[in-house]
Amino acid sequence: MRLINMGLKGEQVRLDFFGCNLKCPYCIHIRQPFEEYSIDEVAEFVSNSAVKKVFIGGAEPTLQKDLTPLIELLHSMGMEIILKSDGMKPEVLEKSLPFVKGFVLELKAPLEDTAAIEELTGISSKRVEQYVANLKTSIDIAKTRWLRLWVRVIPGYVTEESVKRMLPVMEGASEVLLYQFLSNPDFDLPFAGYTSPVPAWEDMESLAGIVVEKVPRVIIVGEKGRKIIGKE
C-alpha cells in the first residue's frame, strides 16, 4: 500500500494514501513522495497508537486495491473509521459501508457546471461526465452514514450564487466544511492567480449562513482558525 503519510494527529491515526484519478492543479498531495507498507504494517502502527479512531484520506485512497481488506481489518480491531474520497469509485464506498462510521467527500462546484469542474479537476470533459455521475452515486451512498461534504472555497468557482446551486446536493449531509483556499500550506498550491488565503473570512461566514439553511452544521476552517455554525 502506498502512503504519503501515516501518523498520529490528535486522538486519531491519519492514513494519507498516494495516487489519484483526478489531476487538480492546486493539489499538493499528488506531487508528494510515498512509501510502501503492507496491510499488517499499517494495522500494527494503528494498534500501537493507542487510539480508536482512524481517518483514511490522501490523495485518493480508493485506488489502493487492498483498501477494503484494510478497512475490514481495522474495523475488527474496534476502530472507528472515516473514509475520505473524491467519489470516483462508488463501488469501493459501497463495500466499505458495513465497516466505517462515515465519509468525507469533496464538492468542488455545482455538479451541472462541467466547465468549472473540468478546470478544477484537470481531467477531460468526457471524464468529467463520468466523475459527476460517480460522485452523485457516492454522495447518495455516503448519506446513508455520517457524511461531511468538504468544499474548497476558490473565488470564481465557489461563490454565493454557486453555493445556492449546490444546496440540493448538500441537503441530507451531516455537515459541510468550508475551507478557505490557501489557508493551509499543506493542502494547496497557488491557483487562478491566488497566492494567499482567499476569500475574506467575512465572505466565508456569509457562505456558511447560506449553507446552514439546509445543513444542520457548518464548519469554517481558515487563517482565523475554526468556527462552527449551527448544531454543536
Side-chain angles (χ1 to χ4, degrees), residues 24-32 152 154 179 181-196:
C24 305
Y26 46 76
C27 182
I28 283 178
H29 300 313
I30 60 176
R31 296 165 174 82
Q32 291 175 311
R152 194 185 310 255
I154 304 178
Y179 163 72
F181 183 56
L182 289 170
S183 62
N184 187 334
D186 294 333
F187 287 173
D188 312 310
L189 295 170
F191 172 69
Y194 299 111
T195 57
S196 59

Side-chain angles (χ1 to χ4, degrees), residues 71-178:
I71 288 174
E72 291 181 17
L73 177 57
L74 295 177
H75 178 265
S76 74
M77 294 163 54
M79 296 297 156
E80 181 181 287
I81 303 164
I82 299 295
L83 174 60
K84 183 178 184 292
S85 173
D86 60 20
M88 275 284 270
K89 295 179 78 67
E91 68 277 8
V92 178
L93 273 61
E94 185 81 53
K95 289 178 182 177
S96 73
L97 273 177
F99 311 106
V100 302
K101 175 189 175 182
F103 301 93
V104 177
L105 293 170
E106 185 171 356
L107 193 57
K108 297 181 180 295
L111 296 183
E112 70 275 10
D113 192 347
T114 54
I117 292 174
E118 185 175 346
E119 292 175 18
L120 292 168
T121 60
I123 59 178
S124 68
S125 57
K126 184 176 182 179
R127 288 197 67 213
V128 164
E129 291 180 14
Q130 189 62 60
Y131 163 70
V132 169
N134 289 354
L135 179 57
K136 287 178 179 178
T137 301
S138 291
I139 290 173
D140 287 342
I141 291 169
K143 283 179 179 177
T144 66
R145 291 286 187 273
W146 180 88
L147 169 62
R148 169 187 288 171
L149 287 174
W150 198 92
V151 181
R152 194 185 310 255
V153 182
I154 304 178
Y157 297 95
V158 179
T159 63
E160 287 195 7
E161 184 272 336
S162 66
V163 164
K164 289 175 181 177
R165 290 160 59 197
M166 286 189 269
L167 288 178
V169 176
M170 292 178 173
E171 191 168 10
S174 307
E175 63 183 34
V176 169
L177 188 147
L178 299 176

